[in-house]
Every structure is written in structure tokens, then in C-alpha cells.
Amino acid sequence: MSTVLQEERSAVRQTETMRALVFRGPNQIGIERVPIPKPGVGEAVIRITLTTICGTDVHILKGEYKVQPGLVIGHEPVGVIHELGEGVTGYRVGDRVLVGAITPCGQCIDCLSGHWSQCGGPIGGWRFGNTINGAQADYLLVPHAQANLAKIPDELSDEQVVLLADIASTGISAAESADLRIGDTAAVFAQGPIGLCATAGARLKGASLIIGVESDPVRAAMAKRMGADVVLNFNECDVVAEIRRLTGGRGVDVAIEALGTQATFENALRVLKAGGTLSSLGVYSGKLAIPVEPFAAGLGDHKIVTTLCPGGKERMRRLLELVLHKKLDLTPLLTHRFKLEKITDAYKLFAEHRDGVMKVAIEP
Ligand SMILES: [Zn+2]
Ligand SMILES: [Zn+2]
């Protein structure tokens, strides 16, 4: 191809635009036309075929979690490789891929220490819709593509895998970070999408008794479907006393906090046996206080662990295998479906918890 032709072509390409959900300030989001990204060295661009909205996106929309105005938000991408940058090997344009919400570089000190989510520093692995443009768009630029493109087995649909990018990876990690052993008892505080996946994770890890805590009847029913043996409504009973009773007075081996409030954190501590592990997934604001009595004045051998969504293509591959071999089915959580064009309606429904919504599928 002649240089002139090449230049003409790239000039045309530069004007190519796509639809994207752009954050302009608190409660100001909308679909805008923005340029389709071009991959640089080590990067890829994927055409999004399915994505979803996360509770974190709602925090961004409300201005509770700060991002730069002008940013495209969303961090749960399933798509098809549209263009590969230089240096990305083993992939072809057209490959179907899942990309985790967290995109580690795989090369920095934090990554090489096994803390992929903390790539380059605290929370550094979370880039999409946080520090770089995100997935609620027609196309998405994937940084560190070699470490982050997970090929989707042909047998699996987009719907079966989209929730692996974030909530499943995060939720399941609670039991993993707690080193939950076969036969352990577990309590999971809050059964929103992440709590439901935490419940599924406790079941996958082999918990003997899983106690969910949730007041919403739709979510309580879903908790049973995902693996909870008992679901306690905190409006109807003394949850701490009831969990103590259900565990023969001992308390649970693992208490998972999946909401991010002082009350749930504290109750998770109160139901823990001596030597037990509090595994925290919630995002807290303000101050978090530890009451000394259930903490045995600091002498109870308790562990408190936290986890940000594990990402990277190897994490995604393992989760894909779980779905492929029918150990994990997240499709019941995809309760509603919207076109990208109507995504602000989807945000409304999701933020207001209307119509029994769990997660919304967003398609182009
Ligand atoms: Zn998220
Ligand atoms: Zn890194």
C-alpha cells in the first residue's frame, strides 16, 4: 500500500467514533460519541459484546468515589479482539475474550509479589473506569494485553461469563483469602451481587454450613440458590445470637463482610470464633472502628483480611473453567437486559434496586 493511501486511511480512522458512557460530574452521565481507541505497544482494543454495571459505578455516578470528569466508566468487559498493538502474541483479531476488572501489568514489584490488584501501588490494578477509559462503550482499550486477555471457550456464552470479570472474582476471593477449609462454617453479611458470589465461593471451597444475612426476600431466595443453608433477616432476629446458636455457641470459622458498613463489619467480628477469620470485601468510608470485646481485647487470634478483585488472564481462565465444568452458574444473577443506548435507564433501575434487579446485562 502506498504511503499516501496509508495516510489517507489513518486520517479516516482518526475520525471514527463510538458510543461511550461518559462521567461529567456527580449525577451527570450520558452516552456521548468519542474516538475509537487505537492500541499502542502491548495494548489491544476489543469490541464490547456484553458488559454490566457495578455497585462501584453507582458510587462514581453519585460522586462518592472520585474519578476525572470526561472518563468513560465501567470495568466488566466481554468482547472480541478488534485490533492488536505491537508485541501482543498468541491472539488474533476476532478472538472472543474476557478481561478482568483488574488489569495487572504482570511485571512490577507488586505483581511479582503476587498482589496483582495492587499493581504499581494501592488499588493500582483497577484501571478501567477508574484511571483509564472503561467498558461501557462500543470499544475498549486493554492495557498490558498480554497479561489480561482471557480467551473464552466456544461452549460458553457472553452471559455465562460476564460476571466473572468482577463480582464473581471478588466474591469468591473472600473464602480464598480467608483460607476457608473443608468443613468450616461461614457467615456472609449482605447478599447483594458480591455477597451472593461470596456465598457461592464458600460453597466451592467446601464450607459445611453457610449462613447468609439479608433482609430483602428476593436476595434471600437467591442466596439459597447460590449455596446458603440458612438466611437470617436482621429485622426479624438477633443475627449474632442466632449465628452463635447455629454453630453450637462457638461462632463461625469465617465471617465474610460484603457491604462496607460499620454495623456489618462489627457483626462479622461478633460471630467469629476465637482464631477465626474476618474476610472483608466491603468498601468503607469515613472511619472503621473495632470494638474490643468481640476482638478479645486484641488477644483472640483473629485474622482480618481484605481483598480487591483478583484480575489477570490466569485468574479469569480458572473462573472460566469453573463455569465450563458446571461448578458455577451466575446466569440467574443477570436479571435485566438493556441496550447501551439505554444504559442510563439501567443505572436508575440498578441504583434503586427496583424490580428484583441483581445485575443488568448491557449489550451494544
Ligand atoms: Zn465492580
Ligand atoms: Zn504490576
Side-chain angles (χ1 to χ4, degrees), residues 10-205:
S10 64
V12 171
R13 294 200 71 138
Q14 272 163 19
T15 62
E16 276 185 314
T17 61
M18 64 171 187
R19 298 166 303 167
L21 185 73
V22 179
F23 172 83
R24 288 288 166 200
N27 299 309
Q28 293 172 50
I29 52 163
I31 293 286
E32 297 183 15
R33 289 215 75 94
V34 302
I36 295 176
K38 293 285 291 173
V41 175
E43 298 173 337
V45 169
I46 64 172
R47 176 171 54 79
I48 299 289
T49 52
L50 201 68
T51 185
T52 177
I53 300 173
C54 179
T56 310
D57 297 328
V58 176
H59 290 300
I60 291 173
L61 166 63
K62 291 179 177 166
E64 295 162 357
Y65 183 91
K66 302 256 177 297
V67 300
Q68 279 298 319
L71 191 76
V72 178
I73 57 182
H75 51 260
E76 295 157 285
V78 175
V80 170
I81 296 177
H82 171 69
E83 200 172 351
L84 287 164
E86 240 179 273
V88 186
T89 59
Y91 297 94
R92 283 191 188 163
V93 168
D95 283 349
R96 288 176 69 223
V97 290
L98 166 71
V99 185
I102 302 294
T103 47
C105 75
Q107 300 184 31
C108 71
I109 288 170
D110 302 285
C111 283
L112 293 173
S113 306
H115 299 290
W116 320 101
S117 314
Q118 315 301 329
C119 172
I123 325 181
W126 177 29
R127 295 181 167 92
F128 290 140
N130 182 26
T131 54
I132 64 171
N133 281 338
Q136 289 162 10
D138 286 315
Y139 295 87
L140 172 72
L141 180 86
V142 180
H144 312 298
Q146 195 67 46
N148 287 293
L149 300 172
K151 287 186 198 172
I152 302 171
D154 290 340
E155 298 91 325
L156 299 180
S157 68
D158 289 359
E159 288 74 12
Q160 283 175 289
V161 306
V162 67
L163 300 184
L164 300 178
D166 183 8
I167 64 158
S169 188
T170 304
I172 291 170
S173 75
E176 295 173 279
S177 296
D179 282 329
L180 189 147
R181 299 160 308 172
I182 286 176
D184 273 353
T185 52
V188 184
F189 286 83
Q191 296 290 323
I194 293 217
L196 288 165
C197 290
T199 297
R203 175 167 68 177
L204 284 165
K205 286 277 281 173

Side-chain angles (χ1 to χ4, degrees), residues 186-191 195-196 198-199 202 210-214 254-258:
V188 184
F189 286 83
Q191 296 290 323
L196 288 165
T199 297
I210 303 169
I211 306 164
V213 180
E214 177 60 55
V254 174
I256 296 170
E257 199 288 340

